[in-house]
């Protein structure tokens, strides 16, 4: 897989995170969060995106861990998640998208796609 395809998959996954969380599919959002984090860590062209990807993963991991270790778990992560986490996760995902878009504008030769 080329660097451009990896970058595009990270961008699409970062866009999918807020859609899934807002749409009450928070548990499924673990897949695009993992793609964003692993893509940012593996691709050397995305060094400037790594802190934002780590922030997104950390912000998503907090309600996931609270749901997993909570004594009275709801049947889904979306129902158990505090409503304040939804905008926080969405803002973190938008920060990743902004970082990716600004990286593309700064160095189009490095990250095409």
């Amino acid at each position: 897989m080329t660097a451009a395809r990896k970058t595009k998959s990270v961008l699409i996954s970062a866009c999918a995170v807020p859609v899934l969380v807002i749409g009450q599919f928070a548990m499924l959002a673990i897949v695009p969060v993992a793609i964003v984090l692993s893509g940012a860590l593996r691709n050397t062209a995305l060094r400037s995106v790594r802190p934002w990807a780590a922030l997104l993963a950390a912000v998503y991991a907090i309600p996931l861990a609270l749901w997993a270790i909570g004594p009275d778990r709801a049947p889904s992560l979306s129902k158990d998640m505090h409503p304040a986490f939804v905008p926080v996760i969405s803002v973190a995902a938008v920060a990743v998208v902004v970082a990716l878009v600004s990286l593309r504008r700064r160095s189009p030769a490095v990250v095409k796609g």
Side-chain angles (χ1 to χ4, degrees):
M1 191 180 286
T2 65
R5 286 187 69 188
K6 288 180 185 176
T7 304
K8 192 177 282 190
S9 67
V10 171
L11 179 64
I12 291 169
S13 296
C15 292
V17 171
V19 172
L20 289 171
V21 172
I22 292 170
Q24 298 290 308
F25 293 101
M27 185 58 85
L28 290 177
I30 195 167
V31 174
V33 169
I35 292 171
V36 168
L37 184 62
S38 67
L41 293 176
R42 295 176 120 191
N43 193 346
T44 58
L46 300 180
R47 279 195 187 121
S48 62
V49 179
R50 287 177 184 169
W52 300 109
L55 174 72
L56 174 63
V59 168
Y60 179 78
I62 292 170
L64 182 65
L66 291 174
W67 174 78
I69 63 173
D72 296 327
R73 295 189 338 191
S76 74
L77 176 61
S78 298
K79 292 182 189 224
D80 197 47
M81 186 185 305
H82 190 276
F85 280 114
V86 175
V88 172
I89 293 170
S90 299
V91 167
V94 169
V96 172
V97 171
V98 168
L100 283 167
V101 169
S102 68
L103 179 67
R104 281 184 167 192
R105 290 180 190 237
R106 276 188 308 208
S107 58
V110 175
V111 186
K112 291 188 228 174

